[in-house]
Amino acid sequence: MELHSYLNFHALSLSSKQTPNKDPSHWTSIIRRHAKFNDDPAILTTYSQMEALNISPDSSALPVILKACSKLQAIETGKRVHSKIKNKKLIDDVRVRTALIDFYFKCGFVRDARHLFDEMADRDVVSWNTVINGYMGFCQYKEAISLFMKMRNENLKPTSVTFVALIVACGETLELRLGQEIHGHCLRNGLLDTNHHLGAALIGFYQRFDLSVCRTVFDLMIMRNVVCWNTMIKGYFDAGDYFEALHLFIQMLEEGVSFDDITILSGIQTCSELGSLDLGMQMHQLAIKFRLVKDSYIINTLLNMYGKNGSLESAYKLFECVPARDSALWNSMISSYFEFGFREEAWSMFNRMQSEGVEANENTVTVLLSMCTQSVNKLAFGKSLHAKVIRNRFDYSISIGNALLRLYAELNHIEDALKIFSELTDLDVISFNTIILALARGRLRSQAWNYFQQTLESEIKPNSHTIISILAACDDQSCLNVGRSLHGYMTKCGIEMNVELNTALTEMYMKCGDETTGRYLFDRCVKRDQISWNSLIASYMINDQPLEAILLFRQMISEIEPSSVTVISVLGFCTHVSCLPFGQSLHAYTLRREFFVDDSKMSLANALISMYARCGSMQNAEKIFKTMGKREIISWNALVSGYGLNGQVYDALRAFKQMLEDDIRPNGITFLSLLSCCSHSGMIDIGVQLFEAMTHDLNIAPTLFHYGCMVDLFGRAGCIDEAREIIDSMPFEPDASVWRALLTACRLHSEVNLAKFIFEKLVEIEPLNPGNYILLSNVYATAGLWSEVRDLRTLLKEKGLRKHPGISRIFVRSEVHCFLAEDQSHPRSAEIFATLNSLFFSLKDYGYIPDLSWVLHDGEDDNSS
């Protein structure tokens, strides 16, 4: 019926063009009809027709026209209305002037709006509410409160609209006392019993201070609409009390309150945070039942919920059901794949997004930049995305800028990171934390300190992550006092000592040699997580304290379940010191705890292969290798290296052949292990073939280590000239290890003159390494040049250089026993030396004659006989 009359009215309007009706009331009725149907364009069209006919709108039509101008941001039309009534009595009409003030506020002309308000002779409560809400729209909350105070002085009675705005302003400015006064006034005047918007505003206000008071206000409310329920549910959600948020949602359903899209959004997000897929699916069913699934925000939230709960199949099905997918939906799907390690699917989804013509936005680029750090060609992908940012003229927003910073920092491209940092206009604490950590890890301490100093001098307030970042620069004993100063600074500034910061401080003290303070901080920490334990265990290993590392690991498993990272770390220690019994115990522990069922099973298997191989148990290493369903290059390298370490050269070559047959492309580490095998077994021809295959067939650029192996290969076989040719052909300067390999060959083949030349090179590179002097001394001793040996020893004494004695360890019943050369400090040293003498005489009885040509002449006197 209404639609029919509406159409007839339009027909009347059209016919009026033929015989224009200049009665203002006629046009006012047309404008009101358009307003009834919220047809703002039609209102402004009608006004244009009135202008053409020189008909002035009356006081009842003008507010409607100005409201339409506000909604459509028709600034010129609104200003034209103002100029036409400026010198007329209409400008003094309260409703008209209030509408003009509202128009100017909503179009961003705050000064013009305030000027019109200040000139008003008669201001009613609606005018005051308009100007107060106008300032609220521009987040000028203190000005809004100030206006309320002036309004009260004019003896005007505020309405619920006034109080709603004022309560919001009190919340934003944290004016608890004033907010409580308003609350009291509303209670005394019974306003809460009749206005649910006021109740919702009060709930939002108290959420900023005390959630329990907020809940009391909610429970005492007589009128509670969906806005009140939504505000209360969101309050619990923001506070992290997801169970109470869900309980309130269920209570809402039980009381028969009709929920809206905001309610269902909060419910889905709550299920996502709780990790409850079943409840999330029920929320999805509710959204379908009440026809809310057409809302793009709800679809996106559902997709994120499925992705976060690991149901990627459900997420993908939902994604495919949406006919018109916006960039936000594509971003959510890409993020879901990426977060669960499906990187290929994530990149494929991005490529499909581009092929379907959906333009990537800033969020897409931010997600993809995060993915780059875990892709194979990290730098290439990152650079291409960076180029896309420049091509598409994306601004270096905080999100994109920080993502680019993080990418270059993680790839250790410090110069690129510094360039990005210098180009950012909006910097936040994350920007500074990222660049400081990148510089600290790159051992650029002074620059890291400069940027840290900038944070102290700027308005950006350092947080716990800033301290963690700068602590990474304190990594030796020279930084101990600086580290202590940082510890004092964070205490003085009241920076919270969370688990991450406690771990960083503990690690700093351990690295800087203050083990007592480091262990005190660790022991005092109540909420120690796996990272805390892993960090301290690793610190003991770095400080060469194996017994403490083992004891700490045992303490750890009595308090907390270690992760596969912990076990791999401790296995690395077993590998380093060849502790087979403890390694076997760890292997058994991983089997009992079912460590081989998670995503880290391959890394754990690789660590076990390396441990067994280095401990001489190739049979166990092979057994683990054969049980692996999927083998990566690291697995093959561990096996090949193991064979090489145990002198099983042909087994290493056979494994290499099998690796090629399985279409596994070898890398530089594979060839390094094979070349080392050939070097120690004297297989020159095979070594040369492998080196040529690596450089020519597979285009793998040899490193210093590869060249060092080739020098060692030729040197051991007596091919000194060929070894020299290898050094001369290197595309970069040889380091000390390469020259030492050749110097060792000189000893084997008594090349005294060449040894002198090499020694001079070594002294240039490592002037304080006593080992180089001892190597030359052994060359002289082998050649019988004893006077030169004595001269070298004298030179060593004059320079104050002394070779650190070698140390060996054995593990007996999980106890570590350490020995130095000629060490007699062990409590059972008498038994040990007696057993050694017994073995020596037994060997002598069997006719064994020791080869003294390999005795190192690094003692204070010649005891080689």
Side-chain angles (χ1 to χ4, degrees), residues 483-499:
R484 285 172 175 163
S485 299
L486 283 168
H487 192 173
Y489 168 79
M490 55 154 284
T491 305
K492 180 183 176 183
C493 294
I495 296 174
E496 182 188 357
M497 176 70 88
N498 53 33
V499 180

Side-chain angles (χ1 to χ4, degrees), residues 540-707:
Y540 277 126
M541 291 178 184
I542 292 167
N543 293 346
D544 202 22
Q545 294 175 278
L547 182 58
E548 284 79 1
I550 291 172
L551 291 174
L552 190 64
F553 178 73
R554 286 177 176 162
Q555 183 186 343
M556 177 183 181
I557 60 178
S558 68
E559 293 184 24
I560 187 174
E561 183 78 21
S563 64
S564 55
V565 174
T566 320
V567 176
I568 290 169
S569 177
V570 179
L571 277 171
F573 157 73
C574 297
T575 303
H576 178 65
V577 297
S578 300
C579 179
L580 182 59
F582 191 63
Q584 288 173 318
S585 300
L586 274 176
H587 187 186
Y589 178 82
T590 60
L591 292 171
R592 288 196 306 274
R593 297 285 179 170
E594 297 182 342
F595 272 86
F596 285 92
V597 296
D598 63 9
D599 295 335
S600 61
K601 59 183 178 182
M602 187 175 289
S603 300
L604 190 54
N606 293 338
L608 283 166
I609 292 169
S610 295
M611 184 275 295
Y612 278 121
R614 285 189 174 270
C615 292
S617 182
M618 280 308 299
Q619 189 177 358
N620 282 320
E622 289 169 345
K623 192 182 291 184
I624 292 170
F625 183 82
K626 288 174 183 176
T627 58
M628 293 177 72
K630 184 182 177 183
R631 299 162 188 150
E632 58 183 6
I633 184 64
I634 298 171
S635 317
W636 285 97
N637 285 348
L639 189 70
V640 170
S641 174
Y643 282 132
L645 288 169
N646 289 282
Q648 298 171 239
V649 186
Y650 293 104
D651 288 324
L653 293 169
R654 189 177 66 253
F656 176 67
K657 185 181 177 184
Q658 183 64 48
M659 177 181 174
L660 296 174
E661 290 172 358
D662 287 359
D663 292 327
I664 302 294
R665 179 184 170 85
N667 58 17
I669 296 170
T670 319
F671 283 101
L672 195 63
S673 299
L674 290 167
L675 290 172
S676 180
C677 287
C678 295
S679 172
H680 286 85
S681 58
M683 301 171 71
I684 299 177
D685 293 338
I686 294 175
V688 171
Q689 288 174 24
L690 286 167
F691 188 79
E692 289 178 353
M694 179 185 79
T695 52
H696 298 121
D697 299 340
L698 295 171
N699 294 320
I700 297 173
T703 64
L704 269 169
F705 299 108
H706 294 102
Y707 283 112

Side-chain angles (χ1 to χ4, degrees), residues 388-400:
K388 189 177 185 69
V389 170
I390 297 168
R391 278 198 312 272
N392 291 11
R393 296 182 180 178
F394 286 129
D395 291 331
Y396 276 153
S397 62
I398 285 180
S399 58
I400 286 184

Side-chain angles (χ1 to χ4, degrees), residues 72-90:
L72 299 176
Q73 291 291 292
I75 297 169
E76 293 305 318
T77 305
K79 284 185 173 181
R80 203 161 61 245
V81 170
H82 184 194
S83 69
K84 286 187 177 183
I85 65 170
K86 189 160 50 176
N87 298 319
K88 296 181 181 179
K89 287 184 178 181
L90 278 171

Side-chain angles (χ1 to χ4, degrees), residues 16-27 30 53 55:
S16 69
K17 291 181 182 178
Q18 297 168 0
T19 53
N21 189 335
K22 293 193 175 185
D23 182 7
S25 62
H26 165 74
W27 292 95
I30 294 174
L53 294 169
I55 299 168

Side-chain angles (χ1 to χ4, degrees), residues 82 137 356 409 435 452 784 811:
H82 184 194
E356 292 190 16
I435 198 69
F452 178 69
F811 294 80

